[in-house]
Amino acid sequence: MNVTNFLKHHYRHFNAAALIDAAEGYNKHLAEGGKMMITLAGAMSTAEMGIQLAELIRQDKVQIISCTGANLEEDIFNLVAHDFYERVPNYRDLTAADEQALLERHMNRVTDTCIPEEEAMRRLEHSVLKFWEQADKAGERYFPHEFFYQILKSGELEQYYQIDPKDSWMLAAAEKNLPIICPGWEDSTLGNIFAGHVISGDIQNVHTVRTGIEYMIYLADWYTQQATEESKVGFFQIGGGIAGDFPICVVPMLHQDLGRTSVPLWGYFCQISDSTTSYGSYSGAVPNEKITWGKLGQDTPKFIIESDATIVAPLVFAMVLGQ
């Protein structure tokens, strides 16, 4: 029994049934000529979601990605330093002294997984700094993901690859030149490193890395060109936060601030979240709340799966990939 048949046989009620509905809705949206955005919050790259996300990219089942700066860089960290990562299955039992010991070994913990600073972060910094400095001296400016594409396409990191390259979603995205939106990139390890190099004078122009406002302009142009009544853009949101809230707002911005009222609303919406419905939380807002903000319509197919994305997303993606 393959994954899809197993799920359809056993996943019949509650969040399990919502998973089936969302996956079938995703497939229906694509079958009708739609496009899809996937948004990545949290530490999905460190969770190695790239194994399936890369295949979605290769099979043209996602046309654009919005992610945090952490997810952008952590896929590459994993690509070049996977063998140096350490898993801490008993992370709930760690004392403050245990955490201090990890710090002293330069092991940065993300739940049960420790990212090695030297082999991952500093290795990538060594490469990206050269590209930042070259652009800075030439008076050129690029988005964060464009700098990463340049590095990956240059091949200079290949000597460090420690996973099968086909399991890196950033490599798959670079090969397709996939549009990426990375709002709030400043809130990332490489964002902090870039700030440090500006302060130290290695980078003269702080705008050598293009900004979040420019990302919104870039997204507005992309959405205006790509979203039509015959080919609407869907929105598959993993987690909450800026990775989801920033790009979904492009529609009301186009309608209300630019008067492009002929541009269609998002054509599909699904969110996987473990945030319960609460007061003032974007991550915990039910999809219908987005109708009031001009993001979704009354008839937009809407799904919410209240569960752990690291468990749920691979199952949805398996169905979308026909596994």
Side-chain angles (χ1 to χ4, degrees):
M1 182 181 290
N2 64 20
V3 176
T4 296
N5 288 341
F6 176 89
L7 292 174
K8 287 188 174 181
H9 182 72
H10 293 285
Y11 280 39
R12 303 189 180 199
H13 303 283
F14 317 135
N15 273 303
L19 184 156
I20 300 295
D21 293 342
E24 290 182 336
Y26 192 131
N27 281 329
K28 182 174 184 289
H29 178 75
L30 294 182
E32 293 175 348
K35 303 176 180 70
M36 189 64 72
M37 169 184 278
I38 291 179
T39 78
L40 301 173
M44 295 301 100
S45 289
T46 292
E48 298 190 73
M49 200 163 286
I51 294 171
Q52 281 180 304
L53 183 55
E55 189 60 25
L56 287 171
I57 293 169
R58 282 190 290 270
Q59 293 192 23
D60 295 320
K61 294 183 182 294
V62 52
Q63 282 67 47
I64 184 169
I65 288 174
S66 172
C67 70
T68 57
N71 277 299
L72 199 67
E73 66 195 14
E74 285 177 17
D75 181 79
I76 304 177
F77 291 165
N78 182 60
L79 175 66
V80 301
H82 179 82
D83 295 349
F84 295 97
Y85 279 57
E86 293 182 14
R87 186 162 177 263
V88 187
N90 63 329
Y91 66 92
R92 291 182 176 86
D93 302 326
L94 295 178
T95 65
D98 293 331
E99 305 281 21
Q100 180 66 28
L102 288 172
L103 171 67
E104 291 170 1
R105 292 176 52 225
H106 305 285
M107 299 300 289
N108 298 265
R109 186 169 70 82
V110 180
T111 312
D112 71 342
T113 303
C114 292
I115 303 175
E117 179 181 334
E118 191 62 33
E119 293 81 5
M121 299 165 186
R122 298 306 171 189
R123 180 170 288 168
L124 184 54
E125 177 189 6
H126 177 72
S127 291
V128 76
L129 178 58
K130 291 188 294 186
F131 285 81
W132 286 340
E133 289 179 333
Q134 288 169 11
D136 190 55
K137 289 175 183 175
E140 298 170 352
R141 305 175 60 240
Y142 299 100
F143 284 121
H145 77 278
E146 292 177 320
F147 275 112
F148 287 140
Y149 281 2
Q150 291 171 19
I151 295 168
L152 292 171
K153 290 177 179 179
S154 76
E156 76 165 56
L157 291 177
E158 287 183 15
Q159 60 184 310
Y160 302 116
Y161 287 0
Q162 295 184 352
I163 64 170
D164 190 329
K166 72 178 178 58
D167 292 337
S168 165
W169 75 263
M170 277 294 292
L171 264 179
E175 289 165 1
K176 288 258 186 184
N177 201 29
L178 193 80
I180 293 180
I181 307 301
C182 186
W185 173 78
E186 296 82 358
D187 179 24
S188 68
T189 299
L190 267 295
N192 293 160
I193 288 171
F194 180 77
H197 284 292
V198 173
I199 292 169
S200 65
D202 298 322
I203 306 295
Q204 298 299 310
N205 181 7
V206 70
H207 295 298
T208 293
V209 176
R210 297 179 67 182
T211 67
I213 294 298
E214 290 174 282
Y215 260 132
M216 180 56 82
I217 296 167
Y218 172 82
L219 177 57
D221 289 341
W222 182 91
Y223 194 94
T224 300
Q225 293 174 27
Q226 298 293 325
T228 65
E229 288 299 332
E230 295 74 32
S231 182
K232 293 182 180 180
V233 181
F235 198 94
F236 191 89
Q237 179 177 332
I238 298 175
I242 195 171
D245 195 29
F246 181 91
I248 204 170
C249 289
V250 73
V251 171
M253 190 267 285
L254 288 170
H255 287 183
Q256 299 167 21
D257 302 322
L258 290 171
R260 300 181 190 175
T261 54
S262 62
V263 175
L265 298 170
W266 295 97
Y268 162 100
F269 177 83
C270 175
Q271 181 179 7
I272 304 171
S273 175
D274 59 2
S275 177
T276 54
T277 302
S278 59
Y279 306 99
S281 163
Y282 172 72
S283 300
V286 297
N288 275 358
E289 183 177 295
K290 294 170 175 58
I291 296 173
T292 71
W293 290 88
K295 301 168 183 174
L296 304 178
Q298 296 182 60
D299 301 322
T300 305
K302 307 175 192 69
F303 310 92
I304 186 163
I305 311 168
E306 295 179 309
S307 187
D308 182 337
T310 63
I311 297 171
V312 168
L315 297 175
V316 174
F317 292 162
M319 291 188 66
V320 172
L321 291 168
Q323 296 172 343

